[in-house]
Amino acid sequence: MDGGRKVWAPDPVNGYQLGIIVDVGTDTLTVEPIHAPKKLVTDSYDRIFPSEEDNDKDVEDNCSLMYLNEATLLNNLRIRYKKDLIYTYVANILLAVNPYRELGGLYSPESIKRYNGKSIGVLPPHVFAIADKAYREMKATKMSQSIIVSGESGAGKTESTKYILRYLTVSYGASAGVIERRIVEANPLLESFGNAKTMRNINSSRFGKFVEIHYSDKLAIIGGFISHYLLEKSRVCSQHMEERNYHIFYQLIAGAPAQLKTALKLDGNTKFNYLNPVSLKDPAINDVEDFKQLEQSMDQVGLSMEEKYNLFQMVSALLHLGNIQFEENTADRKGGSLVSAKSKAAVSITSHLLGLNEGDLTRSLTSRVMVTTKGGTVGTIINVPLKKDQATNARDALAKALYVKMFDHIVGRVNQCFPFASSHSYIGVLDIAGFEYFQVNSFEQFCINYCNEKLQQFFNQRILKEEQELYKKEDLGLTEVTYIDNQDCIDLIELKTTGIMDLLDEECRLPKGSHDHFSDAVHHTHNGHFRLTVPRKSKLNYHRNLRDNEGFMIRHYAGAVCYQTAAFLEKNNDALHDSLEQMMIQSNDPFVKLLFPASAAKKNTGSKKLVLISVSSKFKTQLNELMDKLRETGSSFVRCLKPNLKLESHQFIGGQILSQLQCAGMVSVLELMEGGYPSRAQFAELYQMYQRYLPKKLAQLDPRTFCKALFRALGMSEHDYQFGMSKVFFRAGKFAEFDQIMKSDPDHLASLVERVQRWLICTRWKKGIFGVLSVLKLSRKISYRADNAIVIQKNVRMFLAKRRHQPRYTGIAKIKTLRGRIEQLNSMVSVLKKQVQLRQKIVIIETAMDGSVEKIKKETVSKHEIELAYNDILHSCEALMGEMKKRQQQERREEEEAERLRKLKEEEERLRQIQEELERERKRQEEEERRRKQEEEERRLKAEIEERRRREEEERKRKEEEERIQREREAEAERKRREEEEKDRELQRKKEAEVEAARLAAEEQERRDYELAMRLAQDEPHPQQVLVEGAAQRTQSRIARRSLKRSEAYTGRQQQQAAKKYNLSKWKYAELRDTINTSCDIELLEACRDEFHKRLRVYHAWKSKNKKRTESPDQTQRAPTEIVQQAEEQPVKQPPALPKRISSLIRDDDAPQRYFRIAFVRPGQPSLDKRKGWWFAHFDGQYIARQLELHPDKQPLLLLAGKDDLEMCELTLEETGLARKQGAEILEHEFELEWTKHGGVPYIRPYNRAVLK
């Protein structure tokens, strides 16, 4: 499908494999590998990437690839590695893949000359180009530079560092003479004493170094300085079975002359406890030749014969010291130990070589001197015997202290061979041990990985964070790139008081500190920390057997590493027992006295316990100082990669390379560089750089205009550069092309100057035309303002007239309002008996009112006079109304008095009749009295009943009022509860979003942990037995569950889909399309269309995200821009419910068929061509059925659903907003006319298809 589009799909071994998309799912894509057609791969959209058109083509800069993603990066590295092209750029970052063999001519003197003064991108990628870039930036910015060489052990960091130093000293150090040779020649000396063979590298640096080359103000080399960090001192006493001790031990045994061996007691003795027997002769290492190079290096740095002998003597003494063995002293009741009989010779040789007394050495190794501070006599010296294990530990501690101090002396002596008083600037090259992970990881790996965490954070800040901040500051408007921040892991290790390092120091200060208590303290302090967990959660069987108090596991940026704490406390303390240190101070050998000065031990003399000299605190301080140096300098990065674990040439394991790229942050760099500008220059700097190449006429321009004219004249694509606020930014490699053009031959420069002048003339002509147009626009504006001035005058006159006459018509209106009073008076007088005189008064008032109105109309009357007339009329009305009211009251009183007299007479007559009746009824008085009492009793009872009813009614009303208030309170409480619930839901949604982000981060960390464990397991003979059973499946299942982020609306639609009749989530893309084209089942047809368009939408989103870098954003659009923007801005409304839609289709043939037409300019059409085409669309329901595009001078494009779906608009009718766009909808016959005129086939609706069948 999609024209056989090739993509990269994940592969556990090769990283990615090439395949073809065969099916599109809602959350996943199914790919058929080209080299394994029957093994389909299904994975999420964000794990599958488009491939280049030519997958066998390689590029020097990965930013030049058409698609920037981790798959194309890995493929480009693979192709170049096969061609012995080990260097590749990612913008200004150099990737170096270790070839594990010599490449002829790659580092020859001729190569050094070729890269001298050349910008990155002019010549093929090389470590020399990075060194030259650092020098040129130091020269241009007057700022010191740093080159950070990073990578895993065995990736080639040490060799890259040597080549960088060699380039800087040879290319830019000709005037320094001996100094630059000493800087380079010091490497063999440092490697002999600081490098060793490990399981992953035959020349692994077991210490870190920062080599500084210092320059004068004239940029001449005046000296150098080497800072070293964290020498692995435990290697002196023990090594892994497949590893070796430091190179110097084997070089001295194999390459020293016979006379020297005799003097050092090495002749005839090849068995030493500090050396693995199997490691004495390694076929991959020539110790004899390396010893010769060591002696040459010592001579170059200026070591005398005595100094060389002192170093060899110390190495020999360490070998013999390791042969001293101990056994239990059965005669000692305190359980002490003594030197075994077979070790007497080793004690004698060691004491002789170190200038010690044999008895003192034996006594100091088997006992310990303490001074009392409490009880008895204070200051009493007590000799405490040591057990066998304690004596062995004391011997090893002495050996490690001797070697560390000797190495410090060597580095200090090397620094003395290229001294300098002061410097103007320097270039520093950092070479430190890469990220390490073994089956047994101890204190050294913990410190090394902590250092790499800090360096990774520096890389993220310098390359990603600061780069994006610069883009934002310069207003380039680029999309922000996210990256994993490892600050929480750094805080876990170094945070004050609660950090692991501080917890370790605190444990070392305890009288009876132990590793298990330290482990418990770490787990207790950081319980629940994402980066820390217990060993049993490791993916390796070996680590899962460890108890919780035997170690801890940290999830580093590169993966999870399990550390065993058994030797943490011992390795963290650099101090010796007082008796051993005092013995070394009293040595007769001058070199030993130099290593153990007496002043350093005075403060510890007489101490009752071992004083803590924390290695971790010292290393943390040194590392922070190093990071401060790096932050104060400009940075260049060299990322060294290890192609396989077997250290074999011509073997490229993609999965291992991909893991290193991801851990190194290169994937995030790709995302940044996809839209970024790695090269940039100030306008003024660019102006000064090329000013001398241009004639005076052009050189007089201001820097910004100069740059703008220059780029226009060169015809550079606007996609290749962008102007910021103060700088011009270039795409990767484009600055080198620009530089090459500017420094080309004079004839080409003359034509360039001519183009610049032509551009300036055109620009000035455009400015002149713009000025004329501005004058015309101004004249139109003046005319417009004159017309509007008339309107303003009219309104002003109207306002003035209104203000002048307003009191008059306002007064007339007020007087006329008194008409209502007149009508009221007429109504009142009509009910009075004597009304003739009152009516005359009303007529008089009306006459006065009419006269006032006429006077106001005809004469000029002031506002005061109008107010007086109004008040007179008003007072007359009120006075008359008062008189009428009095008349009404008088007549009412007379009527009431007559009525009262009438009633009085009636009452007297009634009383007379009652008396007569009482007289007649006197005989029945007693009966009536009884009845009266009975009636009174009844009335009393009724009154009580009525009172009770009244009280009950009041109680009922009171209760109803209380209930109403209660209901209102409950309603208010319910409203508040709903608001709280809404807030809780909002917080829950935010919390779920945070949990989802944490889950994705955890899954990413889980994937890295698995890859790291898998790479570690590759070292074993049976990798699958080393890994925890099911770890791979669980990790891969977690990876497979990752999908694109979905909105809540989409989740809701998924739930609705689950509840539907048809579950189409497992249907293939081709099955859905065939069903849409052939099915007569309307329900199934609609369900398939919904699922089909849902998948199309997700697939097109994936294609848009992974588009070609040369494509404009609109080049692949399938609908006019305004429609696409409408769909993005407006919230998506759901189409009509399926049952209603289906019933409508089944009921009749009146399915919603709608037709639209809109103007359309096809992307890629020249901007000068203003002619527009037309975009026609026929929607069958919510989805598009036919699409027609008509463009000037082009063939019409006809697309039909079911055949050309991938090229058609995937939006629904509701999403396009066409139904709401005025003038967009057309009639059916208008669409059909255009469709048939250009050769379109008739469209058969689903309903008609069912009827035909």
Side-chain angles (χ1 to χ4, degrees), residues 120-184:
I120 287 182
V122 175
L123 294 175
H126 203 291
V127 72
F128 291 165
I130 297 295
D132 192 84
K133 168 181 171 288
Y135 180 83
R136 285 185 292 104
E137 288 188 355
M138 180 186 68
K139 181 179 179 181
T141 63
K142 311 300 181 184
M143 179 182 180
S144 299
Q145 300 292 314
S146 296
I147 302 176
I148 293 93
V149 184
S150 60
E152 295 187 0
S153 178
K157 299 185 302 299
T158 301
E159 295 300 315
S160 297
T161 301
K162 289 192 290 187
Y163 290 129
I164 291 172
L165 295 175
R166 177 183 168 193
Y167 179 86
L168 292 173
T169 53
V170 172
S171 185
Y172 296 109
S175 61
V178 179
I179 294 179
E180 84 280 356
R181 290 198 300 273
R182 286 183 172 179
I183 293 175
V184 175

Side-chain angles (χ1 to χ4, degrees), residues 530-598:
F530 169 70
R531 295 281 185 174
L532 185 80
T533 186
V534 293
R536 64 174 180 273
K537 293 187 179 180
S538 173
K539 297 186 181 302
L540 297 174
N541 283 322
Y542 178 82
H543 296 149
R544 292 173 72 91
N545 295 326
L546 298 176
R547 293 192 297 270
D548 292 353
N549 60 0
E550 291 180 342
F552 53 84
M553 188 166 68
I554 297 180
R555 294 187 175 97
H556 291 284
Y557 72 94
V561 178
C562 183
Y563 299 100
Q564 297 184 33
T565 57
F568 264 53
L569 273 66
E570 174 193 346
K571 295 179 179 180
N572 187 47
N573 195 347
D574 251 358
L576 284 174
H577 288 299
D578 184 62
S579 55
L580 287 174
E581 189 166 1
Q582 289 298 324
M583 177 188 68
M584 302 308 298
I585 292 172
Q586 297 171 5
S587 171
N588 298 324
D589 187 84
F591 183 62
V592 176
K593 283 190 173 183
L594 180 65
L595 298 182
F596 290 88

Side-chain angles (χ1 to χ4, degrees), residues 469-476 723-727 729:
E469 288 178 353
L470 176 63
Y471 291 162
K472 188 179 295 184
K473 178 181 177 182
E474 293 287 337
D475 196 22
L476 299 188
F723 284 101
M725 304 300 292
S726 60
K727 300 176 182 178
F729 293 80

Side-chain angles (χ1 to χ4, degrees), residues 60 84 118 156 161 170 212 225-226 358 471 545 552 829 840 989 998 1077 1176 1196:
E60 295 178 348
D84 287 338
K118 297 297 188 300
T161 301
V170 172
E212 301 172 13
F225 188 79
I226 299 176
E358 185 175 342
Y471 291 162
N545 295 326
F552 53 84
V829 80
Q840 290 176 354
R989 283 193 291 269
N1077 290 334
F1176 294 83

